[in-house]
Amino acid sequence: MARGRRERRILVVTGAAAFVAVGLKLLVSAIKAHKQRRRKKPDVPGSSVLVNLSASEIQRLTDQIIAKSKEVYDLVASVPLEKVSYTNVIAPLAELEAYQFSSVQSCVFPKMVSTSNDIRKASAEAESRLNLHFLTCRKREDVYRVIKAFADRGEWLGYEAKRYTQCLVKEFERNGVNLTPSKKKELENLGARIEELSLQYAQNLSMDNSFLLLGESELAGMPLQFIKILEKTEDGKLKVFLRSHNVTPILEHCKIRATRKSIAVAFGQRCGKENLDILENLVQIRHKYAQLLGYSNYAEFTLESRMARTSEKDCSIVDKNHSVTFLDQYDTSAIFCVMVFEFLEDISENLSDLAMEELNMLKDLKRREDGDSPFGMEDLLYYMRRAEEQHLDLDLGEVKQYFPVNLVMSGILKIFQDLFGIRIEENKDVEVWHETVCLFSVTDVSSNELLGYFYLDIHSREGKYAHTCVLALQNGNLSSNGTRQIPVALLLSQCPKQIDDNPVLLRFSEVVTFFHEFTHVVHHICIRATYSRFSGLRLDADFIEVPSKLLENWCYESISLKIMSGYYQDITKSVTSSMCTSLRRKRDLFSGLRLKQEVLLCLIDQFIHSSENMDILELLKHLHPKVMLGIPLLEGTNPASCFPQIVIGSEAVCYSYIWSEVVAADIFAAKFQEDLLNQYAGLQFRNKVLAPGGAKDSLEILSDYLGREPAIHSFIKSKTRNSL
């Protein structure tokens, strides 16, 4: 009897949900009406993305989104607590998310692609308005009470519905809905202060114009082209601004050690005391913010929704047989998740032998060229390059000639089609925002089901976003009437346009970036979650990079490199096997030392966000020689004052990229290494890892797929395989 009532609740839409359904239909009708008014080319079946909104249309659609969202939230809030059900509380919010996502993106993505300054400005303003509105929605106590009342009943309609409801509850709680009015105001003020300080830290770095004046003799070994672009003073000195595009080449090529050291020290002193003070203040405010919400520190707050929240005893990605020696001198009582520290130490310890071999090789090389002076951080990049020249026969300029952009893209499409059992076809004569943009459909080969679409916008133009990235324009989901909304993605990049018959050639690093980002496209399109929230690219941040890091391996194997390469004057000639081997060796050269540097910064990030009142400079001085095999921190420098990831975007989670690499290496070794184009293995990965999206716990997805939890050994083996 109870089961029958539950089934009827799923099928019958009443009350608020019925009103919401009507409202959403009106919004969809408005979108269709817009398409009818402007339509010059056929619509894209299944896509609600509007690709050519004017500035005024963006403003009007933003108004409609906000009005409809408020209407739905008001309706949900009006449901009496004793009458809450999935149908009148959860379903309306899920439907709203699903159908508004493409409308929101239609307003927001033009700021990254439009050639019109007015449209880009209107889009940026729309994004600010929508962000503020959605944040306000997530703080509504009246809506939270209704959702929580339903959650407390425990009347779940399935695992995914339960997970979705729990996500809603947690989202409200993490925005302070349970706090008193005075605490809410304090939380709001802390959040504003965090944003202000983060922006100030970043602005200090971006506006820093410090430089060193050097004589030409002090830059011995630098390419003539580099010398020519430097500004000269009246007395003949060369002005070297402390920007990475100047600093890195000097550290790699300059023969004068004193110059390398002065450059490295000056670069590490940028914004020194000012940004260090900002960072120390910022960290304390973040801790207060987290503690107001009931967490012991900011790391606990940040890690809560990630794979790394798992306690040590629950995860085999760390070694259980040792204590965390990096923590020896510090109070760990307030640290929420020792597992991240153990993970980082496992990486560091397991790479120590390799890193020491690499360091000894560099020291020997330095001794032969520069005598017995101590090896310092200013020597690292220079002698890595010198060793690479001696051990690798690889000309990246020559390699570039084998990667015309059109051939690379067609090769990438072929690899993904063959591996994942999909068919990718260009859709011509459709409306796009620029003549160089292409639209492709993705279909399942076995069932002929349309899985989704993606736009390619890869050529540079004025006003366009300057980096390569992927945007979700429409999320997939299963609606209440049983129809599936298909996902739509956009891949942006900045390749120059072809001039005459001269093909655009990609640097090898750009080939890897394209492959990485296209994996995000395919991931987005292959997700089969019921809820829009579990589709798209808003997945567990410890997991979202795993597929892309996994597929990067295809860029270093002969069979796949030959598919997407061809000499620009004769495309029948692909890259040679020796080139492929050299590219793979170059990737892995000195990986022990490079990863040690990454681990050091990850540890600093984790320490300061896990413990209060940490002396950051003393922490660096203590950890640097321990992690970097005795190499001390350069005197007078403080990397924490010029490390923006620790402030904006990766605070308390810098470890995540290494985590993704470890998991990806384990999957590659277990499932793909012996047969890169095995479609059965590809389909297993597509169906078991990509398809669930956020509908299942990420660690559970990976454990089910591998038949065990991810482990570290394959990652370590991959780094040592091609060592010198």
Side-chain angles (χ1 to χ4, degrees), residues 302-310 540-543 649-657 659 697-698:
T302 306
L303 292 170
E304 182 182 42
S305 60
R306 291 169 171 260
M307 276 198 279
R309 73 188 181 281
T310 313
D540 180 343
D542 284 345
F543 173 74
S650 296
E651 57 273 18
V653 295
C654 286
Y655 73 90
S656 186
Y657 204 69
W659 182 286
D697 179 81
S698 301

Side-chain angles (χ1 to χ4, degrees), residues 278-290:
I278 289 175
L279 180 59
E280 288 177 342
N281 190 13
L282 183 59
V283 168
Q284 293 308 310
I285 293 173
R286 283 174 176 163
H287 284 313
K288 289 179 182 177
Y289 187 95

Side-chain angles (χ1 to χ4, degrees), residues 344 591 593-603 627-628 643 654-655 657-658 661:
L344 292 171
S591 55
L593 286 170
R594 295 183 197 278
L595 274 161
K596 285 273 192 177
Q597 288 180 283
E598 288 185 46
V599 166
L600 174 64
L601 293 173
C602 292
L603 282 167
V627 178
M628 293 304 299
F643 181 39
C654 286
Y655 73 90
Y657 204 69
I658 302 177
E661 284 192 276

